[in-house]
Amino acid sequence: MGDETRARDEICEVGLSLFSRGLTFGSTGNISVRLSDGGWLMTPTNASLGRLDPANLSKFDSAGRLVSGGKPTKEAFLHFCMYKERSDARAVVHLHSTHSVAVSLLADVDPRDALPPLTAYFVMRVGHLPLAPYFPPGDESLAKAVGALAGEHHAVLLANHGPVVAGANLDAAVNAIEELEETAKLYLLLRGAKTRYLTRAQVEELGE
């Protein structure tokens, strides 16, 4: 099985898994993978991640030009700005997952670090989570805001929108965004309760 065929199948399998578990819904969310030839595959616009067609994925060449497949998502620029700032990225996942979006709506969130270090796995898989300011869907001003953060952070929370996460491969990106969503859920469950966060020393011991 070739690199591109494998990537097409993996994107569809991951999309179905995310959709089936309620981590995305309707036609929200998008997934991309960088190919070995420097091009990209990306989920197309208005496509449910639960019903993706491997043959209809949007394919871009190494210059970012659409060469085949369906019309690309209007949030393609989010993926490209992550790849531009992170040479190690081989996959990007963006979701409108419920608890992460809920955190992005809170007025008292620290824009430098939207979620505290609740667990070791959040620290290891996500690290610091900056909050990018709100822009309307498809507004390319968001690319500048995300690009300014992506060089130092592989996960960014978009205000009133949701998370975007880059990974060394698709599994890494998915594991990180799922960890982010679960931590957001924990954070919301614990609001108002006296909570024991990991200390600075404990976080540093994990290599963050």
Side-chain angles (χ1 to χ4, degrees), residues 172-195:
V174 170
N175 288 341
I177 207 165
E178 290 187 15
E179 193 70 42
L180 194 164
E181 172 65 6
E182 286 303 305
T183 303
K185 184 177 181 179
L186 284 173
Y187 177 71
L188 294 168
L189 285 169
L190 292 166
R191 273 174 71 83
K194 190 174 181 180
T195 305

Side-chain angles (χ1 to χ4, degrees), residues 12-207:
C12 295
E13 289 169 6
V14 164
L16 178 58
S17 174
L18 292 170
F19 185 87
S20 298
R21 290 178 292 130
L23 290 163
T24 188
F25 46 88
S27 60
T28 64
N30 28 78
I31 301 168
S32 68
V33 168
R34 190 201 298 262
L35 299 171
S36 57
D37 65 3
W40 292 271
L41 290 173
M42 197 175 300
T43 52
T45 190
N46 294 324
S48 166
L49 295 191
R51 298 185 298 277
L52 293 172
D53 176 359
N56 195 47
L57 297 178
S58 306
K59 182 180 179 181
F60 298 85
D61 64 16
S62 59
R65 295 172 300 216
L66 182 68
V67 294
S68 66
K71 181 181 178 182
T73 170
K74 63 179 177 290
E75 294 180 318
F77 65 86
L78 275 179
H79 295 252
F80 287 132
C81 74
M82 293 293 282
Y83 288 116
K84 180 180 178 182
E85 298 298 327
R86 304 199 63 85
S87 60
D88 60 335
R90 291 292 176 271
V92 173
V93 179
H94 167 53
L95 298 178
H96 299 178
S97 41
T98 302
H99 299 93
S100 301
V101 174
V103 169
S104 83
L105 299 171
L106 296 174
D108 58 350
V109 164
D110 182 352
R112 298 165 300 176
D113 216 351
L115 284 172
L118 288 173
T119 68
Y121 285 101
F122 175 76
V123 172
M124 292 187 292
R125 290 178 176 167
V126 179
H128 295 290
L129 180 69
L131 180 73
Y134 172 78
F135 291 96
D139 189 331
E140 294 200 16
S141 296
L142 185 56
K144 294 180 182 178
V146 172
L149 299 168
E152 295 184 9
H153 306 277
H154 74 102
V156 177
L157 187 61
L158 315 179
N160 302 69
H161 191 156
V164 57
V165 176
N169 52 53
L170 188 51
D171 281 346
V174 170
N175 288 341
I177 207 165
E178 290 187 15
E179 193 70 42
L180 194 164
E181 172 65 6
E182 286 303 305
T183 303
K185 184 177 181 179
L186 284 173
Y187 177 71
L188 294 168
L189 285 169
L190 292 166
R191 273 174 71 83
K194 190 174 181 180
T195 305
R196 185 179 61 253
Y197 300 145
L198 296 181
T199 65
R200 180 181 295 274
Q202 289 169 330
V203 169
E204 290 176 352
E205 185 180 22
L206 294 167

